[in-house]
Amino acid sequence: MKKVLASLVSILMIISMLAGCSAGSSSGNGSGQEDGITLTLLHRWPNEPFKGYFDAAIEEFKKENPEVNFNVISVLNEDYKQKINVQLSSDTPPDIFFTWAGEYGDKFIRDGKALDITKYMQEDGEWEETIIPSALKPFTSEEKIYGAPVLMDVRMMAYNKDIFKELNLTPPKTWDEFIKVLKAIKKTETTPLGLGNKAPWNGGLYVTSLNQRMVAPEVLAADNNRATGEFTDPGYVEALEKLQELVPYMNEDPNALSREEERSLFVNGQIAIMPLHTIEFPYVKDAPFEWGTFNFPTIEGGKGKEAVVTGAPEGFMVSSETKHPEMAAKFLKFLTSKEMAEKWVETTDVISTTKGAVNESNSSPIMLDVTKEVEESDEMVIWLDTALEGKVFQPYLSGIQELLNEEKTPKEVMKEVQSAAKEVREAAK
């Protein structure tokens, strides 16, 4: 019995020693980091090449800040939208988290989940100046900055230069010129204009641009605010009527065509013009013809600003509950530095929000032209389905589908949107 007890004591002593060694290794991480900082980063890119970019950026940041460790959580788009709400409501929210602009990000500001990082962005007079103003604007509220935009997606009208050259056409700048171009192309065997609205956000983006051209900016801003949105301005109905004008020049049955199918028709030369996102440029780079882009046409009599582009920045916010606000802000400043922004463009083929990051060494002439338009624009008009609360944009998008099917009139669509906006407005009181 004594031998058994002695053996048990010996075993317990050995286990205790091993446990002690293990705890010491974990705490210090073998490099004297007992007092180190751990930042939890939540983003939406578990896929390449984006994941590789962030992994490399973290390692580069740690070279200058060896006391910092990262806990990275990455989840794809739709799952991310659920994950972020759970994470921010938990006892251990992420220190840094990804967000889209518009109402999606505004709710984090409104609910006190996002940290005001104005002092960090303005303290050295450099950080704020490195970012394209129209990209930073959606991350501000009441003159306070709540996030750092890292990338942006811009929607331009892509066109087949070969077809335009054959028909002696030039990229239209006004609505009347646009209609004339569409009429000329329709006389050929090529479909003038594409719309794959099987996923209704695509039609919503047409209307995003049309609303911006038709509605005064102050009215648009008020209606995009959940507390004041009414959508009673006649410009909204007129915007939908403009969409109806385009239908005769579009592919048949837009609601049955996917976005991918629309893009394939363009690449195959069956569609002459389609709205194309800059993140889609790699998908059409092998088209057997020369292609270019032009901004959505201005509309005579419209009350919106003329040179505004349709698009949206995406970026990161810092949690209001982080224990390391200075280091979290420092990491975001690092991500938006010109050096890291250039690497972003080189790695992902996606436009950076940092001035000068898109340049001749890493981008095509088309991407350079688009970026120049963004830099020269006062602002970007953000996608309908991120600018508005879900209770408003859902009936808007479904209404556009019904409009394309000739099941509803523009006035009937807007009546449903107005009703939804009223509910949201009353709930926001």
Side-chain angles (χ1 to χ4, degrees), residues 37-39 61 64-70 95-96 120 318 322-334:
I37 293 172
T38 296
L39 295 176
F61 182 77
E64 300 176 7
N65 304 274
E67 74 278 18
V68 181
N69 289 309
F70 282 83
D95 299 277
I96 304 168
Y120 302 111
V318 175
T322 182
K323 296 178 181 178
H324 312 290
E326 294 88 356
M327 191 57 72
K330 187 176 183 180
F331 179 67
L332 293 186
K333 182 179 180 180
F334 173 76

Side-chain angles (χ1 to χ4, degrees), residues 313-359:
E314 301 174 11
F316 290 91
M317 289 179 168
V318 175
S319 169
S320 58
E321 296 185 30
T322 182
K323 296 178 181 178
H324 312 290
E326 294 88 356
M327 191 57 72
K330 187 176 183 180
F331 179 67
L332 293 186
K333 182 179 180 180
F334 173 76
L335 278 185
T336 52
S337 66
K338 188 176 180 182
E339 179 183 358
M340 293 309 300
E342 286 179 325
K343 288 181 179 178
W344 166 265
V345 177
E346 292 166 6
T347 304
T348 67
D349 282 328
V350 176
I351 296 179
S352 167
T353 58
T354 300
K355 295 175 183 176
V358 177
N359 51 58

